[in-house]
Amino acid sequence: MSTWVISGARPLGGGPADIILTDGTISAAGSGAAAPRGAQVLDATGLIALPGLVDLHTHLREPGREDAETIETGTLAAALGGFTAVHAMANTDPVADTAGVTEQIWRLGRQAGHCDVQPVGAVTVGLAGSRLAEFGAMADSAARVRVFSDDGRCVSDAVLMRRALEYVKAFDGVIAQHAQEPRLTEGAQMNEGVASGRLGLAGWPAVAEEAIIARDCLLAAHVGSALHICHVSTAGSVEIIRWAKSKGWRVTAEVTPHHLLLTDDLVASYDPVYKVNPPLRTATDVAALRAALADGTIDCVATDHAPHPVEDKETEWAVAAHGMTGLETALRVVQEAMVDTGLLGWAGVADRMSARPAVIGRLTGHGRPLAPGEPANLVLYDPAARSAVDPATHASRSRNSPFAGMTLPGQVIATFLRGRPTVLDGKPA
Ligand SMILES: [Zn+2]
């Protein structure tokens, strides 16, 4: 194994330090540590060092939609965004609802080697919402599945949701809910509000999300189980989660970068690049989500990276697919929305994008401090860089970034996975 000396980096945005990586582990972090003979040296003067980022919500599309993304391209995009682990959502084809499919995804992730891939198992067979999948077999498989989600669809049947929450208790699992009351969102095209009225598009009311979140918090409390709420998008949802947490219930939540930065005003362009589920909301919602991420009511940032081929996005609004890419821009958007606004420091970013998602996702080798003896998973980031987002340069197979053309701060310079560089000089290593 190789040894790396990362000199002059600023761990969590603090004073400069040297970080030495030996045999996949951080062997020293501080000033004045002697560089071992034969070590490779990376001058990281001025760069922020953070623990490798962890995404709880990535759509890698393989198996089934390799025209949109593969595990190879999606995990390379993740590494270029500073991630060392991603949770792969279950809505593939075939659906990740068996030990066999989840093990296949896990193995393909290991072969690609750009970051760790932790499969998420489906809650219901085929995501059909009628019968629970075999959680136990997925949990006992080589993939060691702990997070279960029908993401893309809501587990709307309350009895099924209760049983799922009961079932995962046996192996400390968590149900990650896509909160969308289906009857309240039939035909919905964008956030219900002033903008939807003006544009004449069918509205997607906040209550459709909030009603499910309230119900599921109550169910999780009733059975004493762990609930994680995917992509929270409304101010009302934040209030419900704050209340559930005040009761000491085992409820956690995530917010996407796009919901921290963009609003439903963008839909006026009718450009489907802004079509996403849950929809972009109002400036009031964005402010509430930022405040909730800052005070910890929302535990973490998760990308909901949702690649789609051109033919599914560059079409008319009503028939275009929901979703946006996000792995390669997540940290930059969080700097823009949270750090440069003074809402969160770099230690807070490390907590919300690495430590907490690792705990929620039950990953023991990620989200650890940058300290001796810890796994050498880290990202080096230049907060002073500034450039326009150009999806043509992205490693993702898809180009549907809502940040295209937008000037954002920051650049990932290097990513290390267990002491091995996956990204150097901002490029695949
Ligand atoms: Zn979702």
Side-chain angles (χ1 to χ4, degrees):
M1 286 290 282
S2 60
T3 299
W4 282 85
V5 176
I6 296 164
S7 71
R10 299 167 53 209
L12 310 186
D18 295 339
I19 306 170
I20 301 178
L21 317 179
T22 308
D23 294 340
T25 302
I26 297 175
S27 56
S31 58
R37 189 185 293 266
Q40 292 172 278
V41 178
L42 194 160
D43 178 5
T45 305
L47 304 182
I48 307 271
L50 300 173
L53 308 183
V54 175
D55 194 12
L56 274 174
H57 194 145
T58 306
H59 296 278
L60 291 176
R61 302 296 190 219
E62 186 177 2
R65 284 308 303 268
E66 290 83 354
D67 57 328
E69 196 78 282
T70 64
I71 290 172
E72 166 68 27
T73 60
T75 57
L76 184 57
L80 287 163
F83 291 89
T84 51
V86 299
H87 287 74
M89 276 298 173
N91 63 338
T92 48
D93 183 12
V95 171
D97 59 2
T98 63
V101 177
T102 51
E103 280 189 358
Q104 181 197 1
I105 292 164
W106 176 75
R107 285 214 174 84
L108 287 169
R110 288 188 31 135
Q111 280 167 21
H114 304 300
C115 72
D116 287 349
V117 174
Q118 178 58 47
V120 174
V123 174
T124 66
V125 175
L127 307 177
S130 54
R131 261 186 322 125
L132 289 185
E134 290 187 15
F135 295 2
M138 289 188 268
D140 289 342
S141 76
R144 299 186 52 79
V145 179
R146 291 292 180 275
V147 182
F148 296 87
S149 182
D150 274 3
D151 183 61
R153 298 192 192 166
C154 181
V155 181
S156 59
D157 182 319
V159 173
L160 210 56
M161 188 61 182
R162 174 189 176 159
R163 290 211 185 101
L165 286 163
E166 285 170 341
Y167 197 171
V168 291
K169 284 173 72 178
F171 41 83
D172 188 35
V174 58
I175 302 294
Q177 174 70 293
H178 171 116
Q180 178 190 354
E181 211 294 314
R183 292 274 289 141
L184 285 170
T185 51
E186 279 174 15
Q189 291 290 329
M190 68 171 293
N191 178 49
E192 179 179 299
V194 176
S196 66
R198 197 168 49 223
L199 299 172
L201 291 171
W204 186 309
V207 67
E209 175 173 310
E210 294 156 4
I212 294 291
I213 292 175
R215 183 201 75 175
D216 288 354
C217 286
L218 293 165
L219 281 173
H222 183 65
V223 305
S225 191
L227 169 72
H228 178 72
I229 301 157
C230 297
H231 43 49
V232 170
S233 73
T234 79
S237 298
V238 167
E239 287 309 306
I240 296 163
I241 294 160
R242 189 171 281 133
W243 168 75
K245 286 193 165 190
S246 77
K247 299 278 196 183
W249 299 344
R250 297 174 64 201
V251 174
T252 55
E254 69 190 33
V255 62
T256 70
H258 48 269
H259 287 110
L260 289 171
L261 195 63
L262 309 178
T263 68
D264 62 353
D265 291 334
L266 290 163
V267 180
S269 66
Y270 292 101
D271 184 340
V273 80
Y274 301 118
K275 186 173 177 179
V276 67
N277 178 352
L280 299 177
R281 305 286 189 180
T282 68
T284 304
D285 296 303
V286 169
L289 294 169
R290 290 182 180 188
L293 184 64
D295 73 19
T297 302
I298 293 178
D299 298 81
C300 62
V301 175
T303 67
D304 195 7
H305 175 80
H308 289 290
V310 169
E311 58 271 27
D312 290 352
K313 275 308 250 188
E314 292 182 9
T315 177
E316 62 181 294
W317 180 277
V319 298
H322 292 282
M324 305 168 162
T325 59
L327 287 169
E328 287 163 88
T329 47
L331 187 51
R332 302 177 66 192
V333 172
V334 168
Q335 182 185 348
E336 173 87 359
M338 301 299 296
V339 180
D340 290 356
T341 53
L343 290 166
L344 208 58
W346 290 106
V349 172
D351 182 67
R352 307 300 197 275
M353 296 187 78
S354 180
R356 289 217 216 182
V359 170
I360 294 166
R362 314 296 193 253
L363 295 181
T364 51
H366 291 272
R368 304 292 305 162
L370 295 174
E374 298 289 355
N377 298 323
L378 69 153
V379 53
L380 300 171
Y381 180 76
D382 180 3
R386 244 189 127 68
S387 65
V389 175
D390 178 7
T393 66
H394 287 175
S396 171
R397 184 160 280 186
S398 293
R399 298 284 172 261
N400 51 304
S401 168
F403 310 109
M406 196 181 282
T407 298
L408 287 175
Q411 187 190 354
V412 170
I413 303 298
T415 307
F416 284 83
L417 175 64
R418 287 183 287 278
R420 180 176 57 81
T422 55
V423 174
L424 282 176
D425 292 328
K427 300 182 188 72

